[in-house]
PDB file of all heavy atoms in Angstrom:
ATOM      1  N   SER A 294     177.913-178.350  32.439  1.00 77.00           N
ATOM      2  CA  SER A 294     176.926-179.078  31.638  1.00 77.00           C
ATOM      3  C   SER A 294     175.538-178.965  32.247  1.00 77.00           C
ATOM      4  O   SER A 294     174.539-178.920  31.528  1.00 77.00           O
ATOM      5  CB  SER A 294     177.334-180.546  31.511  1.00 77.00           C
ATOM      6  OG  SER A 294     177.253-181.209  32.764  1.00 77.00           O
ATOM      7  N   LEU A 295     175.462-178.892  33.593  1.00 76.00           N
ATOM      8  CA  LEU A 295     174.176-178.710  34.246  1.00 76.00           C
ATOM      9  C   LEU A 295     173.577-177.339  33.935  1.00 76.00           C
ATOM     10  O   LEU A 295     172.356-177.178  33.888  1.00 76.00           O
ATOM     11  CB  LEU A 295     174.320-178.848  35.767  1.00 76.00           C
ATOM     12  CG  LEU A 295     174.537-180.255  36.331  1.00 76.00           C
ATOM     13  CD1 LEU A 295     174.644-180.189  37.852  1.00 76.00           C
ATOM     14  CD2 LEU A 295     173.395-181.177  35.932  1.00 76.00           C
ATOM     15  N   LEU A 296     174.432-176.337  33.710  1.00 75.00           N
ATOM     16  CA  LEU A 296     173.940-174.990  33.445  1.00 75.00           C
ATOM     17  C   LEU A 296     173.355-174.844  32.040  1.00 75.00           C
ATOM     18  O   LEU A 296     172.613-173.899  31.777  1.00 75.00           O
ATOM     19  CB  LEU A 296     175.072-173.971  33.624  1.00 75.00           C
ATOM     20  CG  LEU A 296     175.548-173.703  35.061  1.00 75.00           C
ATOM     21  CD1 LEU A 296     176.739-172.764  35.039  1.00 75.00           C
ATOM     22  CD2 LEU A 296     174.416-173.102  35.880  1.00 75.00           C
ATOM     23  N   ALA A 297     173.722-175.750  31.133  1.00 69.00           N
ATOM     24  CA  ALA A 297     173.361-175.581  29.723  1.00 69.00           C
ATOM     25  C   ALA A 297     171.860-175.394  29.533  1.00 69.00           C
ATOM     26  O   ALA A 297     171.414-174.465  28.845  1.00 69.00           O
ATOM     27  CB  ALA A 297     173.854-176.778  28.913  1.00 69.00           C
ATOM     28  N   PHE A 298     171.057-176.270  30.131  1.00 72.00           N
ATOM     29  CA  PHE A 298     169.611-176.175  29.948  1.00 72.00           C
ATOM     30  C   PHE A 298     168.981-175.090  30.810  1.00 72.00           C
ATOM     31  O   PHE A 298     168.211-174.261  30.293  1.00 72.00           O
ATOM     32  CB  PHE A 298     168.958-177.531  30.219  1.00 72.00           C
ATOM     33  CG  PHE A 298     167.469-177.511  30.077  1.00 72.00           C
ATOM     34  CD1 PHE A 298     166.866-177.449  28.824  1.00 72.00           C
ATOM     35  CD2 PHE A 298     166.654-177.535  31.203  1.00 72.00           C
ATOM     36  CE1 PHE A 298     165.483-177.416  28.701  1.00 72.00           C
ATOM     37  CE2 PHE A 298     165.271-177.510  31.081  1.00 72.00           C
ATOM     38  CZ  PHE A 298     164.684-177.448  29.822  1.00 72.00           C
ATOM     39  N   PRO A 299     169.260-175.035  32.128  1.00 78.00           N
ATOM     40  CA  PRO A 299     168.591-174.016  32.951  1.00 78.00           C
ATOM     41  C   PRO A 299     168.857-172.579  32.500  1.00 78.00           C
ATOM     42  O   PRO A 299     167.972-171.734  32.569  1.00 78.00           O
ATOM     43  CB  PRO A 299     169.158-174.265  34.353  1.00 78.00           C
ATOM     44  CG  PRO A 299     169.561-175.698  34.351  1.00 78.00           C
ATOM     45  CD  PRO A 299     170.063-175.946  32.960  1.00 78.00           C
ATOM     46  N   VAL A 300     170.081-172.287  32.017  1.00 73.00           N
ATOM     47  CA  VAL A 300     170.394-170.917  31.637  1.00 73.00           C
ATOM     48  C   VAL A 300     169.514-170.453  30.481  1.00 73.00           C
ATOM     49  O   VAL A 300     169.227-169.270  30.322  1.00 73.00           O
ATOM     50  CB  VAL A 300     171.898-170.791  31.296  1.00 73.00           C
ATOM     51  CG1 VAL A 300     172.196-169.477  30.590  1.00 73.00           C
ATOM     52  CG2 VAL A 300     172.714-170.881  32.578  1.00 73.00           C
ATOM     53  N   ARG A 301     169.003-171.394  29.701  1.00 72.00           N
ATOM     54  CA  ARG A 301     168.121-171.026  28.602  1.00 72.00           C
ATOM     55  C   ARG A 301     166.802-170.427  29.112  1.00 72.00           C
ATOM     56  O   ARG A 301     166.086-169.764  28.368  1.00 72.00           O
ATOM     57  CB  ARG A 301     167.818-172.243  27.728  1.00 72.00           C
ATOM     58  CG  ARG A 301     169.044-172.824  27.043  1.00 72.00           C
ATOM     59  CD  ARG A 301     168.656-173.864  26.024  1.00 72.00           C
ATOM     60  NE  ARG A 301     167.885-173.290  24.935  1.00 72.00           N
ATOM     61  CZ  ARG A 301     167.297-174.016  23.986  1.00 72.00           C
ATOM     62  NH1 ARG A 301     167.368-175.331  24.032  1.00 72.00           N
ATOM     63  NH2 ARG A 301     166.633-173.434  23.033  1.00 72.00           N
ATOM     64  N   SER A 302     166.499-170.677  30.380  1.00 78.00           N
ATOM     65  CA  SER A 302     165.263-170.105  30.924  1.00 78.00           C
ATOM     66  C   SER A 302     165.286-168.582  30.880  1.00 78.00           C
ATOM     67  O   SER A 302     164.242-167.938  30.747  1.00 78.00           O
ATOM     68  CB  SER A 302     165.045-170.577  32.370  1.00 78.00           C
ATOM     69  OG  SER A 302     166.084-170.117  33.222  1.00 78.00           O
ATOM     70  N   PHE A 303     166.484-167.978  30.971  1.00 76.00           N
ATOM     71  CA  PHE A 303     166.566-166.517  30.839  1.00 76.00           C
ATOM     72  C   PHE A 303     166.114-166.088  29.451  1.00 76.00           C
ATOM     73  O   PHE A 303     165.436-165.079  29.281  1.00 76.00           O
ATOM     74  CB  PHE A 303     167.998-166.042  31.107  1.00 76.00           C
ATOM     75  CG  PHE A 303     168.453-166.251  32.522  1.00 76.00           C
ATOM     76  CD1 PHE A 303     169.566-167.017  32.803  1.00 76.00           C
ATOM     77  CD2 PHE A 303     167.762-165.676  33.580  1.00 76.00           C
ATOM     78  CE1 PHE A 303     169.987-167.212  34.107  1.00 76.00           C
ATOM     79  CE2 PHE A 303     168.171-165.870  34.893  1.00 76.00           C
ATOM     80  CZ  PHE A 303     169.283-166.641  35.156  1.00 76.00           C
ATOM     81  N   GLY A 304     166.519-166.855  28.452  1.00 71.00           N
ATOM     82  CA  GLY A 304     166.107-166.547  27.090  1.00 71.00           C
ATOM     83  C   GLY A 304     164.606-166.686  26.918  1.00 71.00           C
ATOM     84  O   GLY A 304     163.960-165.850  26.280  1.00 71.00           O
ATOM     85  N   TRP A 305     164.045-167.753  27.473  1.00 77.00           N
ATOM     86  CA  TRP A 305     162.592-167.940  27.384  1.00 77.00           C
ATOM     87  C   TRP A 305     161.855-166.790  28.071  1.00 77.00           C
ATOM     88  O   TRP A 305     160.858-166.283  27.551  1.00 77.00           O
ATOM     89  CB  TRP A 305     162.197-169.266  28.028  1.00 77.00           C
ATOM     90  CG  TRP A 305     162.819-170.455  27.383  1.00 77.00           C
ATOM     91  CD1 TRP A 305     163.232-170.584  26.093  1.00 77.00           C
ATOM     92  CD2 TRP A 305     163.113-171.705  28.026  1.00 77.00           C
ATOM     93  NE1 TRP A 305     163.758-171.830  25.878  1.00 77.00           N
ATOM     94  CE2 TRP A 305     163.694-172.549  27.044  1.00 77.00           C
ATOM     95  CE3 TRP A 305     162.939-172.199  29.307  1.00 77.00           C
ATOM     96  CZ2 TRP A 305     164.111-173.848  27.317  1.00 77.00           C
ATOM     97  CZ3 TRP A 305     163.345-173.497  29.593  1.00 77.00           C
ATOM     98  CH2 TRP A 305     163.914-174.309  28.599  1.00 77.00           C
ATOM     99  N   LEU A 306     162.380-166.395  29.248  1.00 82.00           N
ATOM    100  CA  LEU A 306     161.738-165.304  29.988  1.00 82.00           C
ATOM    101  C   LEU A 306     161.809-164.001  29.205  1.00 82.00           C
ATOM    102  O   LEU A 306     160.811-163.287  29.057  1.00 82.00           O
ATOM    103  CB  LEU A 306     162.405-165.145  31.353  1.00 82.00           C
ATOM    104  CG  LEU A 306     161.827-164.061  32.275  1.00 82.00           C
ATOM    105  CD1 LEU A 306     160.370-164.371  32.605  1.00 82.00           C
ATOM    106  CD2 LEU A 306     162.652-163.946  33.546  1.00 82.00           C
ATOM    107  N   LEU A 307     162.988-163.686  28.680  1.00 76.00           N
ATOM    108  CA  LEU A 307     163.147-162.454  27.911  1.00 76.00           C
ATOM    109  C   LEU A 307     162.314-162.476  26.633  1.00 76.00           C
ATOM    110  O   LEU A 307     161.780-161.452  26.211  1.00 76.00           O
ATOM    111  CB  LEU A 307     164.622-162.230  27.578  1.00 76.00           C
ATOM    112  CG  LEU A 307     165.532-161.880  28.767  1.00 76.00           C
ATOM    113  CD1 LEU A 307     166.981-161.859  28.338  1.00 76.00           C
ATOM    114  CD2 LEU A 307     165.132-160.542  29.372  1.00 76.00           C
TER     115      LEU A 307
END
Side-chain angles (χ1 to χ4, degrees):
S294 68
L295 287 181
L296 289 175
F298 179 74
V300 167
R301 297 190 64 188
S302 63
F303 294 122
W305 300 333
L306 181 62
L307 291 173

